[in-house]
Amino acid sequence: MKKRKPRNLNVVVAEKNSEARFALCSLITSLNCVAIPTCSGLETMIAIKRESVALVLLDVDLTLPKQENTLHEIRQVNPMLPVIMMSGVMTPAFARRLGDRGAQGFLVKPIQRDQLAMTLFRYLL
């Protein structure tokens, strides 16, 4: 019987706020995944290019550093990489706009463990 290859469970946490980033990384670790913290669009792109990443949690505030769109840049590098947007405020119109730009989903801050677990389960298993 063949052994199953372990799944890549590396999750980039792209969040400007250090407290929120730390809390989210702790939640991800508690769910048996590896958190890769970044605090800028540039750091996020470097992590995606260097690491084997399975999912990106991208703060909406990081989508326009220096007039560049991080979500668009991620799509250029890896069109199939799941990107989940995070925001404190989410409306149906805003969620649609994010989906039109290439996001697979969204989470509303503050992110609860059960919401995060469902998202990770959906995209990583």
Side-chain angles (χ1 to χ4, degrees):
M1 182 172 179
K2 288 186 178 181
K3 287 186 178 182
R4 288 178 53 189
K5 182 180 176 184
R7 291 197 178 260
N8 170 11
L9 300 177
N10 293 337
V11 178
V12 170
V13 179
E15 168 66 61
K16 282 195 318 189
N17 181 290
S18 61
E19 290 176 13
R21 186 173 57 248
F22 178 79
L24 197 49
C25 286
S26 294
L27 283 176
I28 288 169
T29 302
S30 76
L31 293 167
N32 297 320
C33 295
V34 176
I36 302 170
T38 65
C39 62
S40 71
L42 179 60
E43 279 187 14
T44 301
M45 294 310 300
I46 290 169
I48 289 169
K49 290 176 183 177
R50 283 188 183 162
E51 305 288 337
S52 175
V53 174
L55 179 95
V56 176
L57 297 176
L58 180 61
D59 185 4
V60 170
D61 291 340
L62 289 182
T63 58
L64 296 172
K66 297 184 181 180
Q67 304 303 323
E68 296 174 14
N69 186 313
T70 305
L71 178 58
H72 176 75
E73 294 296 320
I74 292 170
R75 288 287 153 253
Q76 296 297 322
V77 172
N78 189 339
M80 302 306 291
L81 180 63
V83 178
I84 307 301
M85 302 301 293
M86 303 180 293
S87 177
V89 178
M90 189 63 64
T91 65
F94 189 41
R96 243 186 333 275
R97 221 172 348 149
L98 292 172
D100 291 345
R101 292 182 181 172
Q104 277 69 35
F106 62 88
L107 290 169
V108 178
K109 296 179 193 178
I111 297 170
Q112 302 300 312
R113 188 175 194 275
D114 60 338
Q115 295 171 316
L116 180 60
M118 287 189 308
T119 299
L120 295 178
F121 180 77
R122 179 176 180 189
Y123 291 100
L124 300 182
L125 299 180

